[in-house]
Amino acid sequence: MPELPEVEVTRRGLLPHVVGRRIVEVTVRHRGLRWPVDPELEALLAGRVIARIERRGKYLLLECLPAEGSAAEPGWLLVHLGMTGTLRVWPQAPAPGPHDHLDLVLAGPTGEGGDIVLRFRDPRRFGAILWSPLPESELPSHPLLANLGVEPFDARFDGGWFHRHTRGRSAAIKTVLLAGDIVVGVGNIYASESLFRAGIRPTTPAGRISRERYDRLAVAVRETLAEAIARGGSTLRDFVGSDGNTGYFQLDCLVYDRTGEPCRVCGTPIRQIVQGQRSTFYCPHCQR
């Protein structure tokens, strides 16, 4: 599924094409996503201008300002890509397929070209398109955002943050990373890769890891996610960015999906186990 790097790649790809454009037409073809699409969404969005695109965890947050002179309040379109979702820009959109659930037709600024289409596609329909009228100051209290952990690139996130929030926790550190209540965005691929870089075995109870080892893990998480973003994310099935290009971080993975292959550091065969119904990959020599 698209994780933080893939969502951030999508956000950055959308910025130059979408921000500042006015929504002139909204087409919802299927409302049965993870949560039902608001039956009033077309009316709520029509005429608004997309002023910003932010990201919180794996949610894209599109700030939609009302048209000048309108009595409507500002609001946010929350987009989650689910397991198979994509949000792509089309200068000339092809005919919609069965999995193309929503189109926003966006008018270009005066003198800067014609309309474009922002299309949400999601074959498995685990994604979400939700409207929130909350002001920016209250948006963090939205039920889907309120319990998310700190962002990995937030200045507060360091080994001390990890250490404080894992005291007394007996769950394996890999499981804790995936939970997202301490730090967001460390999905399955990136958890295995980060733990390898930090030299921590994924089965280690989170509450037994020292502050010094958490210092290494915090650095490893940041570096792993930053490299994944720079490489366009990871494409294991059907993820593409807003321009249709695939990511290639998975080509350079150190342990993920390399069962039985030699560790790139010590040559020991990489092992695979299952934790919480997710595959975990690690080096039994480098990770203690």
Side-chain angles (χ1 to χ4, degrees), residues 122-157:
D122 185 7
R124 298 189 66 178
R125 299 208 306 271
F126 287 163
I129 301 286
L130 300 169
W131 174 254
S132 173
L134 292 175
E136 182 176 2
S137 61
E138 298 180 21
L139 193 61
S141 67
H142 189 286
L144 296 175
L145 308 178
N147 295 319
L148 295 179
V150 71
E151 291 286 330
F153 301 110
D154 190 304
R156 294 174 294 170
F157 176 62

Coordinates of all heavy atoms in Angstrom, one line a residue, residues 122-157:
D122 N -8.8 3.9 -7.6 CA -8.6 2.9 -6.5 C -9.3 1.6 -6.8 O -10.5 1.4 -6.5 CB -9.1 3.5 -5.2 CG -8.7 2.7 -4.0 OD1 -8.0 1.7 -4.2 OD2 -9.2 3.0 -2.9
P123 N -8.6 0.6 -7.4 CA -9.2 -0.7 -7.7 C -9.9 -1.4 -6.5 O -10.9 -2.0 -6.7 CB -8.1 -1.5 -8.3 CG -7.1 -0.5 -8.8 CD -7.2 0.7 -7.9
R124 N -9.3 -1.3 -5.3 CA -9.8 -2.1 -4.2 C -10.7 -1.2 -3.3 O -11.3 -1.8 -2.4 CB -8.6 -2.6 -3.4 CG -7.8 -3.6 -4.1 CD -6.8 -4.3 -3.3 NE -7.4 -5.2 -2.3 CZ -6.8 -6.0 -1.4 NH1 -5.5 -6.0 -1.4 NH2 -7.4 -6.8 -0.6
R125 N -10.8 0.1 -3.6 CA -11.8 1.0 -2.9 C -11.6 1.0 -1.4 O -12.5 1.1 -0.6 CB -13.2 0.6 -3.3 CG -13.5 0.7 -4.7 CD -15.0 1.0 -5.0 NE -15.9 0.1 -4.3 CZ -16.4 -1.1 -4.8 NH1 -16.0 -1.4 -6.0 NH2 -17.2 -1.8 -4.2
F126 N -10.3 0.9 -0.9 CA -10.0 1.1 0.5 C -9.5 2.5 0.8 O -9.2 2.8 1.9 CB -8.9 0.1 0.9 CG -9.3 -1.3 1.0 CD1 -8.4 -2.4 1.1 CD2 -10.7 -1.6 1.1 CE1 -8.8 -3.7 1.2 CE2 -11.1 -3.0 1.2 CZ -10.2 -4.0 1.3
G127 N -9.4 3.3 -0.3 CA -9.1 4.7 -0.1 C -10.2 5.5 0.4 O -11.4 5.0 0.6
A128 N -10.0 6.8 0.5 CA -11.1 7.7 1.1 C -11.0 9.1 0.5 O -9.9 9.6 0.2 CB -11.0 7.8 2.6
I129 N -12.2 9.7 0.3 CA -12.3 11.1 -0.2 C -13.3 11.7 0.8 O -14.5 11.4 0.8 CB -12.8 11.2 -1.6 CG1 -11.9 10.5 -2.6 CG2 -13.0 12.7 -2.0 CD1 -10.6 11.3 -2.9
L130 N -12.8 12.6 1.7 CA -13.7 13.1 2.8 C -13.6 14.6 2.8 O -12.5 15.2 2.6 CB -13.2 12.5 4.1 CG -13.3 11.0 4.3 CD1 -12.6 10.6 5.5 CD2 -14.8 10.5 4.3
W131 N -14.7 15.2 3.1 CA -14.7 16.7 3.3 C -14.8 17.1 4.7 O -15.5 16.5 5.5 CB -16.0 17.3 2.6 CG -16.1 18.8 2.8 CD1 -17.0 19.4 3.6 CD2 -15.3 19.8 2.2 NE1 -16.9 20.7 3.6 CE2 -15.8 21.0 2.8 CE3 -14.3 19.8 1.4 CZ2 -15.3 22.2 2.4 CZ3 -13.7 21.1 1.0 CH2 -14.2 22.2 1.5
S132 N -14.0 18.0 5.1 CA -14.0 18.5 6.5 C -14.1 20.1 6.5 O -13.2 20.7 5.9 CB -12.7 18.1 7.2 OG -12.7 18.7 8.5
P133 N -15.1 20.6 7.2 CA -15.2 22.1 7.3 C -14.4 22.7 8.4 O -14.5 23.9 8.7 CB -16.7 22.3 7.5 CG -17.1 21.1 8.3 CD -16.2 19.9 7.8
L134 N -13.5 21.9 9.1 CA -12.8 22.4 10.2 C -11.8 23.5 9.8 O -11.1 23.3 8.8 CB -12.0 21.2 10.9 CG -12.9 20.2 11.6 CD1 -12.0 19.1 12.1 CD2 -13.6 20.8 12.8
P135 N -11.6 24.5 10.6 CA -10.6 25.5 10.3 C -9.2 24.8 10.6 O -9.1 23.8 11.3 CB -10.8 26.6 11.3 CG -11.6 26.0 12.4 CD -12.4 24.9 11.8
E136 N -8.2 25.4 10.0 CA -6.8 24.8 10.1 C -6.4 24.6 11.6 O -5.8 23.6 11.9 CB -5.8 25.7 9.5 CG -4.4 25.2 9.5 CD -3.4 26.0 8.7 OE1 -3.8 27.1 8.2 OE2 -2.2 25.6 8.6
S137 N -6.8 25.5 12.5 CA -6.4 25.3 13.9 C -7.0 24.1 14.5 O -6.5 23.6 15.5 CB -6.7 26.6 14.7 OG -8.2 26.8 14.6
E138 N -8.1 23.7 14.0 CA -8.8 22.5 14.6 C -8.7 21.2 13.8 O -9.1 20.2 14.2 CB -10.3 22.8 14.7 CG -10.7 24.0 15.6 CD -12.1 24.3 15.7 OE1 -12.9 23.4 15.4 OE2 -12.5 25.4 16.1
L139 N -8.0 21.3 12.6 CA -7.9 20.1 11.8 C -7.2 19.0 12.5 O -7.5 17.8 12.3 CB -7.2 20.5 10.5 CG -7.2 19.5 9.4 CD1 -8.6 19.2 9.0 CD2 -6.4 19.9 8.2
P140 N -6.1 19.3 13.3 CA -5.5 18.1 14.0 C -6.4 17.3 14.9 O -6.1 16.2 15.3 CB -4.4 18.8 14.8 CG -4.1 20.1 14.1 CD -5.4 20.5 13.5
S141 N -7.5 17.9 15.3 CA -8.5 17.2 16.1 C -9.4 16.3 15.3 O -10.3 15.6 15.9 CB -9.3 18.2 17.0 OG -10.1 19.0 16.2
H142 N -9.3 16.3 14.0 CA -10.2 15.4 13.2 C -10.0 14.0 13.7 O -8.9 13.6 13.9 CB -9.8 15.6 11.7 CG -10.7 14.9 10.8 ND1 -10.8 13.5 10.6 CD2 -11.7 15.4 10.0 CE1 -11.7 13.2 9.7 NE2 -12.3 14.3 9.3
P143 N -11.1 13.2 13.8 CA -11.0 11.9 14.3 C -9.9 11.0 13.6 O -9.3 10.1 14.2 CB -12.4 11.3 14.1 CG -13.3 12.5 14.1 CD -12.5 13.6 13.5
L144 N -9.7 11.2 12.3 CA -8.7 10.4 11.6 C -7.3 10.9 11.8 O -6.3 10.2 11.4 CB -9.1 10.4 10.1 CG -10.4 9.8 9.7 CD1 -10.7 9.9 8.2 CD2 -10.4 8.3 10.1
L145 N -7.1 12.1 12.3 CA -5.8 12.6 12.5 C -5.3 12.7 14.0 O -4.1 12.8 14.2 CB -5.7 14.0 11.8 CG -6.2 14.1 10.4 CD1 -6.1 15.6 9.9 CD2 -5.4 13.2 9.5
A146 N -6.3 12.7 14.8 CA -6.0 13.1 16.2 C -5.0 12.2 16.9 O -4.3 12.6 17.8 CB -7.3 13.2 17.0
N147 N -5.1 10.9 16.6 CA -4.2 9.9 17.3 C -3.0 9.5 16.5 O -2.3 8.5 16.9 CB -5.1 8.7 17.6 CG -6.2 8.9 18.5 OD1 -6.1 9.7 19.5 ND2 -7.4 8.4 18.3
L148 N -2.6 10.2 15.5 CA -1.4 9.9 14.8 C -0.2 10.4 15.5 O -0.2 11.4 16.2 CB -1.4 10.6 13.4 CG -2.5 10.2 12.4 CD1 -2.4 11.0 11.1 CD2 -2.4 8.7 12.2
G149 N 0.9 9.6 15.4 CA 2.2 10.0 16.0 C 2.8 11.2 15.4 O 2.3 11.8 14.4
V150 N 4.0 11.5 15.9 CA 4.7 12.7 15.3 C 5.2 12.3 13.9 O 5.5 11.2 13.5 CB 5.9 13.0 16.3 CG1 7.0 11.9 16.2 CG2 6.5 14.4 16.0
E151 N 5.4 13.4 13.1 CA 6.0 13.2 11.8 C 7.4 12.9 11.9 O 8.1 13.5 12.7 CB 5.8 14.5 10.9 CG 4.3 14.8 10.5 CD 3.9 13.8 9.4 OE1 4.7 13.4 8.6 OE2 2.6 13.6 9.4
P152 N 8.0 12.0 11.1 CA 9.4 11.7 11.2 C 10.4 12.8 10.9 O 11.5 12.7 11.3 CB 9.5 10.5 10.2 CG 8.4 10.7 9.2 CD 7.3 11.3 10.0
F153 N 9.9 13.8 10.2 CA 10.8 15.0 9.9 C 10.5 16.1 10.8 O 11.1 17.2 10.6 CB 10.7 15.4 8.4 CG 11.0 14.3 7.5 CD1 10.0 13.7 6.7 CD2 12.3 13.8 7.3 CE1 10.3 12.6 5.8 CE2 12.6 12.7 6.5 CZ 11.6 12.2 5.7
D154 N 9.7 15.9 11.8 CA 9.4 16.9 12.8 C 10.7 17.0 13.8 O 11.3 16.0 14.1 CB 8.2 16.5 13.7 CG 7.7 17.6 14.6 OD1 8.5 18.1 15.4 OD2 6.5 17.9 14.5
A155 N 11.0 18.2 14.2 CA 12.2 18.5 15.0 C 12.0 17.7 16.4 O 13.0 17.4 17.0 CB 12.4 20.0 15.3
R156 N 10.8 17.4 16.8 CA 10.6 16.7 18.1 C 11.0 15.3 18.0 O 11.2 14.6 19.0 CB 9.1 16.8 18.5 CG 8.7 18.2 18.8 CD 7.1 18.2 19.1 NE 6.4 17.9 17.9 CZ 5.1 17.6 17.9 NH1 4.4 17.6 19.0 NH2 4.5 17.3 16.7
F157 N 11.0 14.7 16.8 CA 11.3 13.3 16.7 C 12.8 13.0 16.7 O 13.6 13.4 15.9 CB 10.7 12.8 15.3 CG 11.0 11.3 15.1 CD1 10.6 10.3 15.9 CD2 11.8 11.0 14.0 CE1 10.9 9.0 15.7 CE2 12.1 9.6 13.7 CZ 11.6 8.7 14.6

